[in-house]
Amino acid sequence: MQAVTLESTTNPTPQTTQRYAKCIEVSKRIRWDIDRDVIRGRQFDFEKKFLPDGLSKVTELPFLQPAEARFLSQIQGRTYANIFGLVERYIGAKTLEISKDYWLGDQVALEALVRFTEEELKHQELFRRLERMAAAGMPTGYSFQPQPNDVANAVLSKSTWAVLGLTLDIELFTQAHYRSSIESDTNLSDLWKDVFLFHWKEESQHAILDELEWRREDARLTEAERDQGVDDLIGLVAAVDGIVQMQAAADADYFLQRAGRSFSSAEATSIHDVMLKAYRWQYIVTGVQEPRFGEVLQALVNPAQMERIGKALAPILAHAG
Ligand SMILES: [Fe+2]
Ligand SMILES: [Fe+2]
């Protein structure tokens, strides 16, 4: 008679289980609380910039006065909070969904993904707090157009392979953003520096888990399914680009209305242009350019698929940074 075994549904290798276990260990060690560690009773100092120049690209607008450049970075910081609140809605839902494969299987991987999901719920709460704090000190007229649930539904309708690829891009770019925030700049908000620091601490584990899950998903796809995944990933990047185009236009208009003086039409065009470049840089290119992203992608797709992705990204890369 065949012995009944409690075999995992996913047959993880010991090395893979070890990587999930390491993520749990680090997640427990660095775990932070929104009030106790990040906000600590502080409000935003509106005499300081919210985003570092390396992300906001304000130095590409030399005609702005220092207070205007600061206001522009504050608008971008507010949008940063809203964009993360948005993407973390779908990321949390997707992580919960893929954790289903481990419910009765690898309990280490399950715990890692449950912690990941719980951290994303906490991050959404942090970013909602930051949006309210930013709103309290900024002139009226700001609007954030995309709705988190509409975007989440659109993203989650795509193949898991593509969703995990986009998620790895996002979670890797938080690391690049943290590096930008620690460049020496005494005019950068201390509270915002802490947001980048604490977010990065937890996102580092998320990026490792994204990679493990993306590879696991990839291993069970047929060639045709992977090819569809590549098309879906290209579609998702285009959708993100659509969102940043819309928000960059809204934020540039808000700046022009509230900056307190008029600008020439050439200057207004530059403000619109740099806002879009900055958002493409922040929300697409900083992740795609992380070496890890290229390494993983290269390992999963064939040269023709890589070329298709490269072609789709080319216009965005050409107009960012
Ligand atoms: Fe997050
Ligand atoms: Fe994350």
Side-chain angles (χ1 to χ4, degrees), residues 3-305:
V4 176
T5 56
L6 284 175
E7 199 182 3
S8 152
T9 54
T10 49
N11 293 320
T13 64
Q15 296 93 319
T16 303
T17 296
Q18 193 49 41
R19 294 193 72 190
Y20 286 97
K22 183 73 184 165
C23 286
I24 296 170
E25 181 208 316
V26 177
S27 158
K28 285 179 176 169
R29 182 153 41 83
I30 54 96
R31 184 171 180 77
W32 47 263
D33 177 81
I34 293 173
D35 282 298
R36 186 195 63 214
D37 302 304
V38 185
I39 297 183
R40 307 205 308 268
R42 291 176 290 181
Q43 296 295 323
F44 285 131
D45 179 353
F46 286 91
E47 297 300 310
K48 296 283 177 74
K49 288 180 285 191
F50 287 6
L51 293 195
D53 294 350
L55 294 181
S56 72
K57 307 289 173 198
V58 290
T59 53
E60 294 186 27
L61 297 167
F63 55 86
L64 292 185
Q65 297 301 310
E68 293 164 350
R70 192 169 67 213
F71 180 46
L72 198 105
S73 85
Q74 291 168 354
I75 297 169
Q76 291 195 16
R78 188 168 173 185
T79 288
Y80 194 89
N82 282 304
I83 290 275
F84 270 94
L86 181 93
V87 295
E88 291 180 336
R89 180 68 54 87
Y90 98 71
I91 292 173
K94 192 67 190 179
T95 308
L96 208 51
E97 181 198 304
I98 57 178
S99 78
K100 193 172 193 300
D101 292 344
Y102 298 113
W103 282 1
L104 303 179
D106 183 341
Q107 298 296 285
V108 176
L110 177 63
E111 183 181 349
L113 293 182
V114 167
R115 295 186 74 90
F116 177 161
T117 307
E118 196 270 341
E119 286 161 1
E120 293 297 22
L121 290 168
K122 179 177 69 178
H123 299 176
Q124 287 180 64
E125 170 62 18
L126 169 66
F127 287 116
R128 282 194 296 269
R129 291 271 298 275
L130 299 179
E131 151 59 27
R132 290 199 295 274
M133 289 162 61
M138 291 174 71
T140 57
Y142 173 89
S143 73
F144 186 76
Q145 304 291 340
Q147 295 301 308
N149 285 341
D150 294 346
V151 172
N153 276 317
V155 172
L156 296 173
S157 72
K158 302 293 183 187
S159 61
T160 294
W161 188 93
V163 175
L164 288 169
L166 177 69
T167 308
L168 179 63
D169 172 44
I170 291 171
E171 310 214 270
L172 283 173
F173 69 53
T174 62
Q175 303 186 18
H177 297 176
Y178 165 67
R179 290 198 303 271
S180 284
S181 78
I182 53 173
E183 282 162 16
S184 102
D185 185 348
T186 51
N187 289 320
L188 190 59
S189 154
D190 288 331
L191 177 47
W192 268 99
K193 279 187 172 186
D194 281 340
V195 169
F196 286 113
L197 168 68
F198 284 99
H199 197 213
W200 160 75
K201 283 186 178 195
E202 290 185 340
E203 291 299 323
S204 297
Q205 283 70 254
H206 297 182
I208 294 166
L209 294 169
D210 292 333
E211 180 189 333
L212 288 168
E213 289 300 316
W214 196 13
R215 287 179 183 276
R216 183 172 72 92
E217 174 66 13
D218 184 77
R220 67 180 177 194
L221 295 190
T222 63
E223 268 302 324
E225 287 168 336
R226 185 173 306 101
D227 209 53
Q228 180 59 48
V230 169
D231 283 342
D232 282 357
L233 181 59
I234 289 168
L236 285 173
V237 172
V240 172
D241 195 51
I243 288 172
V244 302
Q245 285 189 41
M246 180 169 70
Q247 195 56 36
D251 287 356
D253 284 340
Y254 171 63
F255 174 83
L256 291 167
Q257 282 158 16
R258 297 295 180 175
R261 70 166 168 114
S262 55
F263 292 89
S264 71
S265 69
E267 288 170 339
T269 301
S270 289
I271 289 164
H272 271 270
D273 186 57
V274 170
M275 196 76 89
L276 178 57
K277 278 174 79 173
Y279 288 175
R280 284 176 156 169
W281 175 249
Q282 290 166 33
Y283 302 115
I284 299 173
V285 178
T286 43
V288 168
Q289 286 189 344
E290 283 290 296
R292 196 74 200 134
F293 185 82
E295 284 162 22
V296 180
L297 185 62
Q298 193 98 50
L300 303 186
V301 302
N302 65 35
Q305 290 164 338

